[in-house]
Amino acid sequence: MIRGVTFESSPAFENEAVEAVRSLIRIESVNTADPATTGDGETRAARWVQAQLEDVGITVEFIEPVPGRGSVVARIVGTDPDAGALLLHAHLDVVPVVESEWTHPPFGAEIHNGFLYGRGAVDMKNFAGVLVAAAREIVRSTTAPRRDLVFAFVADEESGGIFGASWLVDHRPDLFAGVTEALSEVGGFSIPFGNRRGYLLATAEKGVAGARLTARGAAAHASRPQLTDPLVRLAGAVARIGEHRFPIVRSEALTGFVAALAGDDRELSDDELERDVDALGFPGALIRASLRNTLAPTVMHAGTKSNIIPGEATAIVDIRPLPSEDEGLRSTLIDLAGDGVEVSFGNWWSATEAPTDGPLVRTITQAIGEEDPDGVIVPYLLPASTDNKHFARLGIAGYGFVPLRVPDDFDVFAQFHAADERVPVESVRFSARVTLRILQSA
């Protein structure tokens, strides 16, 4: 019981959620990042969602900025017009597959030994399917939600959201009028957490940006190398950047994580924190990446022939800033690049940060407690980036929470973009129950 709302679920609703996920997996909505090869899968997936929602009387708006890149948005009106609306968003595109690496068809949505296999089983057609089923169940029920619920099923997240969430924010902000908070990926899955079961709640996520390093000089014969040759200067810059280790930043999300890890009555030093994070096992790698700003050289280009010293050398650096760290990170990168290496910045999306406490967080906590009394909500900072960065431009506080109770040895994050991507069927059923609880009582 949450705020006087009696929760009702059924095996039929859970079955509907599982079958919705399977139907979406079977739609090959692969985003290749190349308009010539991406195709119309996202539009077909969006049209399928539209049909499912309209079937129960929900008004849906279909948006297709360019052919094949379709999204749909719908709103269920709540009983309290003064309450901020809640956005539930899921992307319908998936990354490409190499079928030879899969033991089961990547778009077959087959179930084997209790696992549902397929591209998107975790990232993130599982949540899209659950949201479709939950929206249908809410409309069929006799209890309207307190808040307006806005459902957005969007294209192009895997290539930055240019034709999906970002386009909607820029061109159709009216669809999100009154929205104050959002739920989406990446979080909600359970991890072993000492003698408890932790459910990660992404209350923040790193920003994402890129920079190009360029060193220039005179092309020359390779028999006369100089220490100032462009490639030498660039290699030194790349080495300095790659070897630089930033200090731990105690963000609000990290503070919440430490409180859950160590208890409110104990503070952890940086060394103790890293030790305890490593002791978590495979979840520790995800948390460790959230502790610091990062600069990662990823691409280098120079030269065309072994006996020619190139006159120009370039490198690309991936940048992941923590909240409020943008300017310091820019300055650090320029300093590390050094003299004679130009630094130019491309698109820059800042980190997002939402409160680690509040009514929605408490609702999520209670919903998990009703389904898993041994579970504990653990705030954390996602080291990657989601569509929440786009909706943040509308002042929407974004959270990552797709509830999945999984076996202790099942690494959910490792399923993202992996061959044989899979999710336990019982975890999808759990996700459906918890999500419906949240939406009925938020």
Side-chain angles (χ1 to χ4, degrees), residues 24 319 349 371:
L24 284 168
I319 304 170
W349 288 287
E371 291 291 337

PDB file of all heavy atoms in Angstrom, residues 24 319 349 371:
ATOM      1  N   LEU A  24       8.838  -6.347 -29.435  1.00  0.00           N
ATOM      2  CA  LEU A  24       9.747  -5.259 -29.805  1.00  0.00           C
ATOM      3  C   LEU A  24      11.109  -5.794 -30.231  1.00  0.00           C
ATOM      4  O   LEU A  24      11.719  -5.265 -31.170  1.00  0.00           O
ATOM      5  CB  LEU A  24       9.895  -4.288 -28.634  1.00  0.00           C
ATOM      6  CG  LEU A  24       8.710  -3.346 -28.412  1.00  0.00           C
ATOM      7  CD1 LEU A  24       8.823  -2.625 -27.077  1.00  0.00           C
ATOM      8  CD2 LEU A  24       8.602  -2.334 -29.553  1.00  0.00           C
ATOM      9  N   ILE A 319      35.629  12.586 -23.584  1.00  0.00           N
ATOM     10  CA  ILE A 319      35.615  13.358 -22.339  1.00  0.00           C
ATOM     11  C   ILE A 319      34.348  13.013 -21.568  1.00  0.00           C
ATOM     12  O   ILE A 319      33.249  13.065 -22.118  1.00  0.00           O
ATOM     13  CB  ILE A 319      35.643  14.873 -22.636  1.00  0.00           C
ATOM     14  CG1 ILE A 319      36.861  15.227 -23.501  1.00  0.00           C
ATOM     15  CG2 ILE A 319      35.613  15.685 -21.355  1.00  0.00           C
ATOM     16  CD1 ILE A 319      36.818  16.648 -24.041  1.00  0.00           C
ATOM     17  N   TRP A 349      27.902  17.837 -23.888  1.00  0.00           N
ATOM     18  CA  TRP A 349      26.723  17.698 -23.049  1.00  0.00           C
ATOM     19  C   TRP A 349      27.177  17.572 -21.611  1.00  0.00           C
ATOM     20  O   TRP A 349      27.940  16.673 -21.255  1.00  0.00           O
ATOM     21  CB  TRP A 349      25.911  16.468 -23.446  1.00  0.00           C
ATOM     22  CG  TRP A 349      25.182  16.630 -24.746  1.00  0.00           C
ATOM     23  CD1 TRP A 349      24.069  17.395 -24.976  1.00  0.00           C
ATOM     24  CD2 TRP A 349      25.514  16.030 -26.001  1.00  0.00           C
ATOM     25  NE1 TRP A 349      23.687  17.296 -26.292  1.00  0.00           N
ATOM     26  CE2 TRP A 349      24.549  16.466 -26.946  1.00  0.00           C
ATOM     27  CE3 TRP A 349      26.521  15.156 -26.411  1.00  0.00           C
ATOM     28  CZ2 TRP A 349      24.583  16.051 -28.271  1.00  0.00           C
ATOM     29  CZ3 TRP A 349      26.553  14.758 -27.720  1.00  0.00           C
ATOM     30  CH2 TRP A 349      25.589  15.212 -28.639  1.00  0.00           C
ATOM     31  N   GLU A 371       8.133  -5.459  -3.083  1.00  0.00           N
ATOM     32  CA  GLU A 371       8.406  -6.644  -3.891  1.00  0.00           C
ATOM     33  C   GLU A 371       9.621  -7.430  -3.407  1.00  0.00           C
ATOM     34  O   GLU A 371       9.724  -8.625  -3.644  1.00  0.00           O
ATOM     35  CB  GLU A 371       8.614  -6.238  -5.363  1.00  0.00           C
ATOM     36  CG  GLU A 371       7.364  -5.741  -6.063  1.00  0.00           C
ATOM     37  CD  GLU A 371       6.334  -6.842  -6.284  1.00  0.00           C
ATOM     38  OE1 GLU A 371       6.718  -8.039  -6.307  1.00  0.00           O
ATOM     39  OE2 GLU A 371       5.147  -6.508  -6.420  1.00  0.00           O
TER      40      GLU A 371
END
